[in-house]
Amino acid sequence: MTKDIHRSMQDHHGTGDEDLLEVLIVDDDDVDREKLSRMLHRTAWNVHVEEAASRCEALELIRNPDSRFDIVFLDFGLSDGDGRELLPAIREELDPDCPIIAVTGHGSAEIAADSIKQGMTEFLTKRMLSAENVAASIEEGIAWRQDRKAVRQAEAELTHKSLHDPLTDLPNRTLFFDRLTQACARARRSGDSFAVVMVDLDRFKEINDSLGHAAGDVVLQTVARRLRAHLREVDTVARLGGDEFAIILESVATVDAATAMGEKINQLIEQPVLHDNRVLYVGASLGMALCPQLSFSPTALLSAADSAMYKAKAGVEKTCVARSQELQDPDELDHKGLLEELAEAIAAREIQWHWQPKIDLLHARVTGFEALVRWVPHDSGDVSPEQLIRVVEQSPLIEPFTILCLDTVLGQFATVHEAWPDTSISINVSARMLERPSFVENVLRSISMHQINPERVILELTETALIAHPAQARRVVEKLHQEGVRLSIDDFGAGFTSFGYLRDFTIDEIKIDRSFISRCTQSTFDQSLITSLVVLCNSLGISLVAEGIEDESVRALLVSLGCPFGQGYGISRPLPFDHLQSWMVKWNSSPHSLPAYSPESRLQ
């Protein structure tokens, strides 16, 4: 094993100091530092030791851009504070996989377990210190680093696969839409312009049908390679499926510039493709839509570009740029007037949140509520909650909207949390808020202001938020979890489901998407999925909630499958907060026995 670790260290350091081990000792006792340093030099390792006598000195070394430590030996009782307070700096500013070995004069099984729980890889007491157990700790620490690196690499590969097309390795539809959403948000903030391009290959079906899928795959891979090679790094090229590609061209501000870029893209695609001693010819039809001239909505831009692409296929010109008068999107409500009215509504606290109960399915006991936004504008017509959220997420109003949501919902919960001691409140959080440095502070301030137990607050995020922004999401989730706030994954299974984040994130709850619940009484696949999730969540200690329960037969089936919690119109529609007390009285005073549900009645 030592040889394997030495080889790993060689890979880590390069060809210079091949197996040099950089060690940091943090201890305010000169004698103890000297003793540990001698032990380190008596091991089989080629060791270079740096010493820090205080938290302040250690932080200077950690934050020095030239510092690199392979392992840290850390005492708890330092003259200027607790050594354990250095853990976040070591993990975030030095190396997230750096082994940290606790070396303290006060040892107990409880302290050792707590140290490991906080993220240390080993625990040693000074009175039991020897060169042998120091060397063993080093080997364990480096092996731990290797394991972490392998897991991180495997998860990175899985994430990459979930966001990229397997044939061309281009971003897939999910990643493209996420980048398009970000581009729209930047355009709104700064006025930066860009073009969305939809590309459909001509004559591809003929090649695929006459020469086979292998020839078609070569064409797709060749087109992908050309586009990626000839466009700028700031641009995004994606394959949406079949012979359809999509592109985001940054800093394209005019119709003339868009048309010129479209012609260049067409020329690239029209170059012949060589395959199996044959010369293959394909062309392309391009539709383009400009932001901000046309819209700030990702959906509207894609729709306009797609419509323009079909016009190009039907016309003489192979590139067609969508015009503003051609934009038709009945859901497009993101205009200046609506945003101004929404800003006024936020300032006047006119936004409402309705509460939907969540129950223990077997006993019909209310266990919590989900807060869902509702707003009726004065001048802009009806706005659905989905449309409202889409508009807010694409605007600078996202932060004041979230602060108002936290203050309103937690303020309401503060009036009932003592009367309903076994309940929690769930609040949906936009993935965009994870990028805001003040988000965690705002959440904790609101919880503290309303004097609510953080463990009764659940923040709901989508899978996309965790996978599309994993590093930032992990930091935010860990900070909130340290304060007791719980995390729920909403709409589980609706997008690209990855189980990797169950390891990387502290997740307390999974909510099965309503699409699986609505048809579960007719679908054996959905029943099997629910059963598998029940087993998984039970083994990981995660609560499982079914969304979209419409009637008692669905509830009975879910109970028979082992699903513990649920919500939906069959239990209660979202209610104004003022109506919640009377609903609770009525619910708690009524019988909710389940109908008989025999296993034989399930679909075979």
Side-chain angles (χ1 to χ4, degrees), residues 25 42 70 275 287 326 336 352 477 543 584:
I25 300 176
R42 287 203 299 269
D70 300 303
H275 170 65
E326 298 170 346
K336 185 178 180 181
Q352 296 183 356
V477 169
S543 295
M584 285 286 285

Side-chain angles (χ1 to χ4, degrees), residues 107-388:
S108 70
E110 184 178 350
I111 294 176
D114 187 59
S115 300
I116 301 301
K117 187 177 180 180
Q118 291 184 45
M120 297 186 179
T121 53
E122 188 62 73
F123 181 88
L124 302 175
T125 58
K126 291 182 178 180
R127 65 176 179 272
M128 301 295 291
L129 216 55
S130 67
E132 289 76 14
N133 58 29
V134 167
S137 295
I138 291 174
E139 288 205 18
E140 289 293 331
I142 301 303
W144 179 82
R145 180 201 287 275
Q146 288 176 299
D147 290 342
R148 291 267 297 185
K149 182 179 178 181
V151 170
R152 198 180 299 277
Q153 182 176 349
E155 292 298 335
E157 291 174 356
L158 286 173
T159 300
H160 181 87
K161 289 179 180 178
S162 71
L163 296 173
H164 289 77
D165 171 53
L167 179 65
T168 63
D169 201 41
L170 293 177
N172 62 14
R173 183 182 295 273
T174 300
L175 182 54
F176 178 81
F177 194 81
D178 181 76
R179 291 186 181 177
L180 178 58
T181 303
Q182 293 181 41
C184 288
R186 286 195 304 271
R188 184 181 297 281
R189 289 194 303 268
S190 61
D192 293 343
S193 58
F194 66 91
V196 179
V197 188
M198 294 291 289
V199 181
D200 188 78
L201 300 185
D202 299 332
R203 298 186 294 276
F204 176 78
K205 188 176 186 303
E206 300 171 21
I207 294 172
N208 216 34
D209 291 346
S210 60
L211 300 179
H213 292 294
D217 288 349
V218 169
V219 170
L220 294 172
Q221 290 168 331
T222 302
V223 169
R225 188 166 54 249
R226 288 175 183 170
L227 292 173
R228 189 161 43 192
H230 288 84
L231 294 177
R232 300 161 298 178
E233 287 189 10
V234 295
D235 299 327
T236 295
V237 183
R239 182 186 175 213
L240 304 187
D243 60 343
E244 190 175 55
F245 294 82
I247 305 170
I248 301 173
L249 297 174
E250 299 288 351
S251 303
V252 175
T254 66
V255 171
D256 289 343
T259 303
M261 286 297 298
E263 291 175 357
K264 290 181 180 179
I265 292 171
N266 252 315
Q267 290 170 8
L268 278 176
I269 295 173
E270 288 174 350
Q271 294 176 20
V273 177
L274 299 177
H275 170 65
D276 197 20
N277 296 322
R278 291 176 180 268
V279 180
L280 309 178
Y281 293 93
V282 292
S285 299
L286 275 62
M288 310 182 80
L290 297 178
C291 179
Q293 293 91 324
L294 206 62
S295 175
F296 285 112
S297 164
T299 303
L301 288 170
L302 275 177
S303 176
D306 195 55
S307 297
M309 182 263 290
Y310 279 102
K311 287 188 176 182
K313 289 182 77 71
V316 177
E317 297 294 330
K318 302 308 294 178
T319 299
C320 180
V321 181
R323 309 287 176 169
S324 58
Q325 62 268 27
E326 298 170 346
L327 180 65
Q328 295 181 349
D329 185 356
D331 294 329
E332 176 53 34
L333 297 167
D334 188 9
H335 51 74
K336 185 178 180 181
L338 179 65
L339 286 175
E340 290 177 352
E341 190 175 354
L342 181 57
E344 293 173 359
I346 292 173
R349 303 179 70 90
E350 294 175 349
I351 312 294
Q352 296 183 356
W353 277 266
H354 287 195
W355 291 43
Q356 185 173 39
K358 176 173 62 178
I359 68 167
D360 171 339
L361 292 176
L362 179 59
H363 304 98
R365 177 177 54 87
V366 177
T367 61
F369 308 89
E370 179 182 359
L372 300 163
V373 68
R374 297 291 186 269
W375 178 52
V376 180
H378 301 298
D379 303 322
S380 301
D382 292 336
V383 179
S384 71
E386 293 78 13
Q387 292 167 333
L388 174 61

